Amino acid sequence: MLTSSRDSAARRIAVDAMGGDLGPAEVVAAVKLALAQQPALNPVVLVGDEAQLTPLLAQASLPIDGQRLSLHHAPEVITMDDKPVLALRRKKNSSMLRAIELVKDGAASVVVSCGNTGALMAGGTLRLRTMQGIARPALAAVVPRAGGSFVLIDAGANPEARPEHLLHNAILGSHYCRVRLGQATPRIGLMSIGTEEGKGNALTTEAHALLRAAHAQGILNYAGPIEGFQVFAAEEPVDVVVCDGFVGNIMLKSWESLVKFFTSTIKAELRANPLRMAGAIMAKGAFAALKSRIDPDRHSGAPLLGLRGNILKAHGSSKRLAICAAICAAGEIISAEMNQHIEADVQRAASVLSTPLSPQ
Amino acid sequence: MLTSSRDSAARRIAVDAMGGDLGPAEVVAAVKLALAQQPALNPVVLVGDEAQLTPLLAQASLPIDGQRLSLHHAPEVITMDDKPVLALRRKKNSSMLRAIELVKDGAASVVVSCGNTGALMAGGTLRLRTMQGIARPALAAVVPRAGGSFVLIDAGANPEARPEHLLHNAILGSHYCRVRLGQATPRIGLMSIGTEEGKGNALTTEAHALLRAAHAQGILNYAGPIEGFQVFAAEEPVDVVVCDGFVGNIMLKSWESLVKFFTSTIKAELRANPLRMAGAIMAKGAFAALKSRIDPDRHSGAPLLGLRGNILKAHGSSKRLAICAAICAAGEIISAEMNQHIEADVQRAASVLSTPLSPQ
């Protein structure tokens, strides 16, 4: 079944009910929340084992009305321990693969899953074709910084990027930033070392030239290369940080690791004596505010962009609020017709890629 | 003048007195501290403008005895705003270049400077030759993590590394870790994405094979590839994190940026109302302990390793304690005969590089 992208079936959100650490009950609760919070949310298709889901839906008083919510049976589950490539080959009837197939067949636009990341990324990349003009999909993530948030792209999909992939990452990230963070003309920074001409490496030097050419044509808003010390700073912030998937994955994960180290060190120090503990209780509002400021659940759902359809990955350990945020993000992506806008800009950028670049 | 490396003149520490943000008085104070703290410290040569330094030394009651402390006149200063390549060409009589020349001529072993980073790195690389068998120097940094610290190498010297450069970084980092952190057999991790075979990129795949071969020959203690989430964690920690200078520089600077964002957010939240402020005052010991835990001054002095002689870079804004820590580190590097040990291991590793690697 092939339907036009404006067809109502195609605008559905396929939610993988089975793959998360907390099981299908948490996903059902998240769907209920999302439908209640967003009266205009796109229709949701819950994909998973009917025998497990039917009683959970009844318990949650969530009716399968065939309009706002429908159920798509998939008896198998890809677990966190499954090897991605093997799982994709052997578990054809898994909730994850079936959800991806719904997008491939035009019966949904976006997949939301908190299942096995490797399988989801590989499954999405192998089953959904890339958009016209785009060679590699990229993973985006929203990260808080002083005074706001930025989109990091690529957070790990394509570890061996070529310059044109970084140009496409900039276009993908810009549009995602528009939808998710509401920035009309997001400022794009190219992750590099040293911001003078000639610093960085061969990849960033060429990507810099492409981004400048695309900026000159009004395709995007390129602010130039940025260094590590600028990433979280409030001064001249960028809204989109562009890099290859190797650098992006290492940055994102090492940041999470650093925040954990930092917060556990503070906690241990605050518990070291009764005076500090009493002080910590009085100041607890500050710690709660900090936690909510850097809470990954607020912007849950890292999308794999550049495909015909979108895949939104939520953390495996996501609770209902995080899964709900990802489902709502899927709705925003569809309503904003993000992919159509991306395709138009990728076409406009084709001339940048076919023009020989001046050495400067 | 060419002297053997065991000659007492060659074991001197050349301190660039002029390039830091706080000026020569702070460097003089740091030298005084270092000489007082470490009675067996190697002799120090203070390099800079005599007319400025003589009164500062008198004020500090620090005598030029020609034994523990001597003065080497250099009338020019490379400033933070100088373009590195131009400065190196035009300011031949700068304190920085003269200090490097002392090492080149065998009149000192290590340069300590808080001057212009670009000029120092370029000057060291151009004026001092690399060690036998090593093609590129690497910049090391000591970074705190849960339960200890690790050495990050390369923090920015060589942004286009080949696999053999990463093998050499591992050897350089191991020896620096031994001297600075007292680890007898430092565990080495290769910075990558995904720890399964076949993940990462072409560079890490080849470097992984080289590191495994060097480990098999007992040259170093390779723990395998690590992911970003492991960097600051207490579980199975590594003592040396090996990467190319592009990734290393971005990681290090983005971590500093993240810590700034984090601490400024906490501060602002703690000041938001009187109750929180009172609590913060009661708990201030915890914040002081955290600050000292992550204080960059404790392990001040990022060395450029792999050269015949060493260059230790302290932050431009270093205060006397940080500069003193760097001077003391220089003494440890010389006393441990670190470079001789590195040269021996690089020679042992030559067989690893000349043997074709098995595909596995």
Side-chain angles (χ1 to χ4, degrees):
Chain A
M1 177 177 77
L2 259 170
T3 52
S4 99
S5 66
R6 284 163 194 269
D7 181 79
S8 73
R11 294 171 68 88
R12 296 193 299 179
I13 301 164
V15 177
D16 170 8
M18 310 302 289
D21 293 344
L22 302 180
E26 201 67 19
V27 180
V28 167
V31 169
K32 185 175 176 179
L33 260 178
L35 290 170
Q37 273 180 19
Q38 308 263 339
L41 187 71
N42 302 60
V44 170
V45 192
L46 201 57
V47 185
D49 183 24
E50 240 172 35
Q52 288 184 64
L53 289 172
T54 307
L56 290 172
L57 288 162
Q59 274 165 41
S61 314
L62 196 56
I64 302 282
D65 60 6
Q67 298 292 319
R68 297 198 74 197
L69 181 63
S70 47
L71 191 60
H72 186 92
H73 179 57
E76 292 177 307
V77 180
I78 294 181
T79 68
M80 293 299 178
D81 301 326
D82 275 329
K83 301 231 165 187
V85 179
L86 271 184
L88 293 174
R89 206 178 302 147
R90 292 192 186 153
K91 294 187 171 173
K92 306 269 190 216
N93 291 318
S94 60
S95 55
M96 185 189 284
L97 270 181
R98 283 292 183 88
I100 294 171
E101 301 278 349
L102 287 178
V103 173
K104 188 182 171 193
D105 296 341
S109 277
V110 181
V111 174
V112 173
S113 174
C114 33
N116 185 314
T117 310
L120 188 64
M121 296 295 121
T125 307
L126 297 172
R127 298 293 167 109
L128 306 181
R129 285 160 57 209
T130 53
M131 286 176 182
Q132 176 79 34
I134 287 195
R136 299 287 183 89
L139 192 62
V142 174
V143 180
R145 63 155 161 74
S149 296
F150 64 89
V151 170
L152 175 73
I153 184 165
D154 170 18
N158 177 14
E160 303 262 21
R162 292 197 307 266
E164 63 268 30
H165 301 157
L166 296 193
L167 171 62
H168 288 147
N169 288 357
I171 293 171
L172 295 167
S174 278
H175 283 282
Y176 186 62
C177 182
R178 250 172 227 132
V179 173
R180 256 347 249 294
L181 302 178
Q183 293 284 355
T185 51
R187 281 166 51 87
I188 295 162
L190 174 65
M191 202 68 236
S192 189
I193 66 173
T195 49
E196 312 94 79
E197 298 273 341
K199 293 278 282 201
N201 59 17
L203 175 65
T204 57
T205 304
E206 282 189 58
H208 172 67
L210 291 175
L211 286 164
R212 272 212 316 201
H215 179 86
Q217 295 198 14
I219 298 167
L220 43 74
N221 180 19
Y222 179 48
I226 60 163
E227 287 197 75
F229 71 84
Q230 297 170 270
V231 171
F232 294 95
E235 297 78 33
E236 298 185 48
V238 297
D239 305 302
V240 180
V241 172
V242 170
C243 57
D244 69 68
F246 186 80
V247 168
N249 188 270
I250 286 173
M251 286 199 298
L252 187 63
K253 288 187 173 168
S254 71
W255 296 338
E256 289 172 357
S257 174
L258 176 56
V259 167
K260 252 188 210 165
F261 162 47
F262 210 92
T263 49
S264 66
T265 307
I266 294 183
K267 274 186 197 161
E269 288 295 343
L270 287 172
R271 288 191 189 120
N273 67 48
L275 180 67
R276 290 183 187 176
M277 279 169 78
I281 290 167
M282 287 165 68
K284 70 177 178 187
F287 300 112
L290 174 70
K291 199 178 165 191
S292 110
R293 181 77 188 79
I294 60 166
D295 182 10
D297 287 0
R298 278 178 70 211
H299 290 295
S300 176
L304 189 63
L305 300 172
L307 299 172
R308 298 177 189 217
N310 282 297
I311 308 273
L312 268 173
K313 166 74 182 98
H315 257 291
S317 59
S318 291
K319 292 185 188 138
R320 60 195 66 183
L321 279 177
I323 305 170
C324 170
I327 294 170
C328 294
E332 289 166 34
I333 286 172
I334 302 168
S335 302
E337 306 198 323
M338 187 181 78
N339 276 20
Q340 289 90 318
H341 291 297
I342 291 173
E343 278 181 326
D345 277 349
V346 168
Q347 275 200 327
R348 290 170 69 201
S351 67
V352 170
L353 293 173
S354 59
T355 312
L357 293 164
S358 68
Q360 179 27 6
Chain B
M1 178 177 78
L2 259 169
T3 51
S4 98
S5 66
R6 283 162 197 272
D7 180 81
S8 75
R11 295 171 67 87
R12 296 193 299 179
I13 302 163
V15 176
D16 170 8
M18 309 303 288
D21 294 344
L22 302 180
E26 201 67 20
V27 180
V28 167
V31 169
K32 186 175 177 179
L33 259 178
L35 291 169
Q37 274 178 18
Q38 309 263 341
L41 188 71
N42 302 60
V44 171
V45 192
L46 201 55
V47 186
D49 183 24
E50 241 172 33
Q52 287 183 64
L53 290 173
T54 308
L56 290 173
L57 288 162
Q59 274 167 40
S61 314
L62 194 57
I64 302 284
D65 60 7
Q67 299 292 320
R68 296 199 75 199
L69 182 62
S70 48
L71 191 60
H72 186 92
H73 179 58
E76 292 176 306
V77 180
I78 294 180
T79 68
M80 293 298 177
D81 302 324
D82 275 330
K83 302 230 166 187
V85 178
L86 270 183
L88 293 173
R89 205 178 302 147
R90 293 193 185 152
K91 295 186 171 174
K92 306 269 189 220
N93 291 317
S94 59
S95 56
M96 185 189 284
L97 270 181
R98 284 290 183 88
I100 295 171
E101 300 280 348
L102 286 178
V103 172
K104 188 183 171 192
D105 295 341
S109 277
V110 180
V111 174
V112 173
S113 175
C114 33
N116 185 314
T117 309
L120 187 64
M121 297 295 121
T125 307
L126 297 172
R127 298 291 167 110
L128 307 180
R129 286 161 54 209
T130 54
M131 287 177 180
Q132 176 79 34
I134 286 195
R136 298 288 183 89
L139 192 63
V142 174
V143 181
R145 61 153 161 73
S149 295
F150 65 89
V151 170
L152 175 74
I153 185 166
D154 171 17
N158 176 15
E160 302 263 19
R162 292 196 307 264
E164 62 268 31
H165 301 158
L166 296 193
L167 171 62
H168 289 148
N169 289 356
I171 293 172
L172 296 167
S174 279
H175 284 282
Y176 185 63
C177 183
R178 250 173 226 131
V179 172
R180 258 342 252 295
L181 302 178
Q183 293 283 356
T185 50
R187 281 165 51 87
I188 294 162
L190 174 65
M191 201 68 236
S192 189
I193 65 171
T195 49
E196 312 96 79
E197 299 271 344
K199 292 279 283 200
N201 59 17
L203 175 64
T204 58
T205 304
E206 282 189 57
H208 171 66
L210 292 174
L211 287 164
R212 273 213 315 202
H215 178 87
Q217 296 198 16
I219 297 167
L220 43 75
N221 180 20
Y222 179 49
I226 61 163
E227 286 196 77
F229 71 85
Q230 297 171 270
V231 171
F232 294 94
E235 298 79 33
E236 301 185 46
V238 297
D239 306 301
V240 180
V241 171
V242 170
C243 57
D244 68 68
F246 186 80
V247 168
N249 187 271
I250 286 173
M251 285 199 298
L252 187 64
K253 288 187 173 168
S254 72
W255 296 338
E256 289 171 356
S257 173
L258 176 54
V259 167
K260 249 188 213 168
F261 162 47
F262 211 91
T263 49
S264 66
T265 306
I266 294 182
K267 273 187 197 161
E269 289 295 343
L270 288 172
R271 288 193 188 118
N273 67 47
L275 180 68
R276 291 182 187 175
M277 279 170 77
I281 290 165
M282 288 165 70
K284 70 177 177 187
F287 301 113
L290 174 71
K291 199 179 165 189
S292 109
R293 180 79 189 79
I294 60 167
D295 183 8
D297 287 358
R298 277 177 69 210
H299 291 295
S300 178
L304 189 63
L305 300 172
L307 299 172
R308 300 178 188 215
N310 281 297
I311 308 273
L312 268 173
K313 166 74 182 99
H315 255 294
S317 58
S318 292
K319 295 188 186 136
R320 59 195 66 185
L321 279 177
I323 305 170
C324 169
I327 294 171
C328 294
E332 290 166 34
I333 285 172
I334 301 168
S335 303
E337 304 198 324
M338 186 180 79
N339 276 20
Q340 289 90 318
H341 291 297
I342 291 173
E343 278 180 328
D345 277 350
V346 168
Q347 276 199 329
R348 291 170 70 202
S351 67
V352 170
L353 292 174
S354 58
T355 312
L357 293 163
S358 69
Q360 148 65 344

